[in-house]
């Protein structure tokens, strides 16, 4: 089975199942052999042809058609995202990135971890961290720091250049990781403002930003020159929070 065939089958099954979950339209008449809506009722509500649905052409749906199908099927945010994913389309109106206070249980996690650990929100600002992280990240997570944003720290402070022995490599990767988040949440005002601020304040960031390099946030070896502890080598692991995809839990262990 080809990838297109598999996607077609998965999308058709998805649409059929959600169509059958809908309560019958108020205008329906007579006995109904199947639950939910009929194909022609969904097609009419979504403004598409019945034949188009019957022939299994949903996989060829445009972005606009996907949006109309999602509205007609009354999908919640998670189901809407799945519809666009199965159709291979980008949702023009994705669910907004959560900006409310993060759950207390999430913010409590770093304190329960023995190695340096911190939580980043979707704007790359540290929202919680433990004592080992505060000791390691001089100028960012220690008591004297004024700004907890990781990208501002790396690109706009001398403290980061002194601490990160592999600053050039780390800066290149961070800009590419931020680009991935930025592209995933196009239109997010906070990310747009942050990117502009960094580009205005740092030629190093502006050059990397123009390169349009994109990578997902990954782990790996990180090397530090700590003013008190000397040279340190840490292994970084990043976990993405399932319920809030823009939020990350980052841990560093000796390695």
């Amino acid at each position: 089975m080809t990838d297109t065939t598999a996607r077609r089958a998965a999308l058709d099954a998805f649409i059929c199942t959600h169509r059958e979950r809908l309560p019958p339209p108020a205008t329906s008449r007579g006995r109904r052999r199947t639950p939910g809506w009929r194909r022609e009722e969904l097609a009419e509500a979504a403004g598409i042809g019945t034949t188009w649905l019957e022939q299994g052409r949903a996989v060829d749906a445009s972005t606009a058609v996907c949006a109309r199908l999602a509205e007609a099927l009354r999908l919640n945010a998670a189901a809407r995202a799945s519809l666009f994913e199965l159709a291979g389309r980008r949702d023009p109106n994705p669910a907004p990135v959560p900006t409310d206070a993060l759950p207390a249980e999430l913010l409590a996690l770093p304190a329960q971890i023995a190695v340096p650990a911190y939580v980043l929100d979707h704007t790359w600002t540290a929202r919680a961290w433990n004592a080992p992280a505060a000791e390691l990240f001089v100028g960012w997570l220690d008591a004297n720091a004024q700004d907890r944003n990781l990208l501002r720290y790396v690109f706009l402070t001398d403290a980061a250049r002194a601490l990160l022995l592999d600053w050039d490599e780390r800066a290149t990767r961070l800009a590419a990781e931020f680009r991935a988040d930025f592209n995933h949440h196009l239109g997010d005002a906070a990310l747009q403002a942050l990117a502009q601020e960094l580009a205005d304040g740092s030629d190093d960031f502006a050059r990397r930003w123009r390169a349009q390099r994109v990578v997902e946030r990954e782990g790996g070896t990180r090397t530090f020159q700590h003013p008190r502890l000397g040279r340190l080598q840490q292994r970084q692991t990043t976990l993405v929070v399932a319920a809030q995809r823009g939020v990350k839990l980052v841990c560093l262990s000796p390695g």
Side-chain angles (χ1 to χ4, degrees):
M1 181 181 292
T2 66
D3 178 65
T4 299
T5 302
R7 280 202 303 117
R8 186 188 303 274
L11 182 55
D12 288 345
F14 179 90
I15 291 174
C16 181
T17 299
H18 283 273
R19 171 172 60 81
E20 292 177 350
R21 289 176 181 170
L22 293 172
T27 56
S28 64
R29 295 290 186 270
R31 296 181 61 185
R32 303 176 71 89
R33 292 178 295 176
T34 59
W37 284 18
R38 300 186 178 102
R39 284 193 183 91
E40 58 268 23
E41 291 168 338
L42 175 59
E44 181 180 359
I48 57 179
T50 305
T51 303
W52 187 89
L53 274 179
E54 290 174 342
Q55 292 177 347
R57 292 169 55 193
V59 75
D60 301 318
S62 67
T63 298
V65 168
C66 285
R68 295 201 299 272
L69 278 170
E71 292 173 5
L73 290 168
R74 306 175 193 177
L75 301 180
N76 61 26
R80 180 185 173 102
S82 288
L83 173 65
F84 277 86
E85 183 75 21
L86 289 170
R89 295 290 184 264
R90 187 186 187 97
D91 190 347
N93 297 298
V97 177
T99 57
D100 297 334
L102 299 181
E105 58 270 23
L106 172 60
L107 297 177
L109 282 178
Q112 301 175 46
I113 299 173
V115 298
Y118 55 89
V119 172
L120 291 179
D121 67 15
H122 90 284
T123 68
W124 292 59
T125 298
R127 299 287 296 277
W129 56 91
N130 59 13
E135 181 179 38
L136 175 60
F137 288 100
V138 177
W140 178 40
L141 299 181
D142 59 328
N144 296 323
Q146 300 300 310
D147 190 338
R148 305 300 184 184
N149 185 273
L150 176 58
L151 294 167
R152 291 195 193 98
Y153 172 67
V154 170
F155 287 101
L156 302 180
T157 73
D158 293 332
R161 293 174 185 265
L163 179 67
L164 306 177
L165 280 179
D166 52 353
W167 184 90
D168 191 70
E169 177 184 345
R170 293 299 309 131
T172 297
R173 171 162 282 279
L174 281 174
E177 291 169 352
F178 179 50
R179 172 67 76 175
D181 279 1
F182 184 91
N183 289 351
H184 187 67
H185 300 292
L186 283 177
D188 186 285
L191 296 185
Q192 290 178 340
L194 178 58
Q196 189 61 56
E197 177 188 352
L198 293 168
D200 291 342
S202 169
D203 291 338
D204 287 312
F205 176 83
R207 183 175 65 257
R208 290 170 169 84
W209 196 242
R210 288 193 299 269
Q212 292 281 344
R213 186 165 177 253
V214 180
V215 298
E216 294 296 335
R217 190 160 173 81
E218 299 174 349
T221 301
R222 308 290 183 255
T223 308
F224 303 87
Q225 185 61 46
H226 196 274
R228 187 176 65 82
L229 302 176
R231 184 185 178 95
L232 300 171
Q233 187 166 289
Q234 302 280 317
R235 190 78 181 172
Q236 178 179 296
T237 300
T238 299
L239 305 176
V240 177
V241 179
Q244 293 175 292
R245 296 300 300 272
V247 179
K248 307 169 183 71
L249 171 65
V250 184
C251 305
L252 296 107
S253 55

